[in-house]
Amino acid sequence: MPRQVFFYDQPERFVAGTVGQPGARAFYLQASARGRITSVLLEKTQVAALAERIEEVLDEALRRSGGDPAIPATAPQDLLDTAPLDLPLEQEFRVGTMALAWDSVDSCLVVEAQALIEDEDDEEAAETVFEDDDNGPDMLRVRLTGAMARVFAKRALDLVAAGRKPCPFCNLPLDPEGHLCPRANGYRR
């Protein structure tokens, strides 16, 4: 089946969002422009890693440029997006591999999220992830301004932090009814 690439060059909206209650949330990346919406499912750790890496890439691009005005040092308050995910929420694929790059010519961040390859043991399938041909996995490719990338990263980090509170003893997430803390010898805290 041919690869499907969902491409957004400076989308109207690019956000990370969730569905469900803390402890049972599903995490999504969602891009939208001109009435078209693309949503892809991913793990909480992938959202956190993406947001942290975006901040690092933007900080490095800002440092190398000597203070390029296209890259704000923090997320502009007037661009912050706290609205829920757009509906209908239809998952295109589950994210496996992600990539980031700063395009210094156009002063924008390129984010790529590729579909998870089901057959991880197939060496040939794993090699197609890094090829940009018609037979690779489906992909979401988004080009963002520096300001929009900062806003995405801030929202994503806030989203990850809004989950269940950590246990003060073991740092594992607490369920509403407590949890079996490995540091409490099997007693419920």
Side-chain angles (χ1 to χ4, degrees):
M1 191 159 130
R3 161 185 250 177
Q4 191 170 7
V5 177
F6 303 92
F7 180 64
Y8 291 84
D9 191 2
Q10 310 303 327
E12 295 164 7
R13 187 170 192 227
F14 181 61
V15 296
T18 62
V19 173
Q21 296 299 315
R25 296 186 295 175
F27 287 77
Y28 292 89
L29 293 181
Q30 189 175 73
S32 59
R34 294 180 288 283
R36 183 173 66 122
I37 300 170
T38 302
S39 303
V40 296
L41 181 69
L42 70 169
E43 298 294 326
K44 177 180 180 178
T45 55
Q46 289 175 300
V47 173
L50 178 61
E52 290 166 4
R53 187 68 182 126
I54 285 173
E55 289 287 354
E56 292 170 7
V57 168
L58 292 175
D59 289 345
E60 182 64 19
L62 184 61
R63 186 187 67 74
R64 287 185 182 205
S65 70
D68 184 351
I71 309 169
T74 60
Q77 293 296 316
D78 59 325
L79 296 179
L80 293 179
D81 182 351
T82 58
L85 293 171
D86 292 327
L87 298 175
L89 186 62
E90 297 174 6
Q91 170 189 327
E92 298 296 337
F93 59 84
R94 177 179 282 279
V95 175
T97 306
M98 294 185 294
L100 289 176
W102 177 255
D103 181 345
S104 58
V105 174
D106 294 333
S107 293
C108 67
L109 183 75
V110 180
V111 179
E112 291 184 352
Q114 294 188 12
L116 180 67
I117 296 174
E118 296 299 325
D119 190 5
E120 299 264 342
D121 296 332
D122 187 1
E123 193 172 306
E124 184 177 313
E127 289 177 10
T128 63
V129 170
F130 300 106
E131 297 173 7
D132 201 10
D133 66 11
D134 291 339
N135 296 325
D138 289 350
M139 178 193 320
L140 171 64
R141 180 180 290 150
V142 182
R143 295 171 53 86
L144 303 169
T145 64
M148 195 168 192
R150 288 281 189 202
V151 167
F152 171 86
K154 178 173 180 5
R155 176 184 169 127
L157 290 171
D158 291 348
L159 185 72
V160 169
R164 295 176 288 167
K165 300 294 179 207
C167 171
F169 301 104
C170 69
N171 277 339
L172 293 174
L174 288 171
D175 291 325
E177 54 281 336
H179 80 123
L180 292 177
C181 180
R183 299 197 62 198
N185 295 327
Y187 292 99
R188 188 170 293 278
R189 287 199 183 271

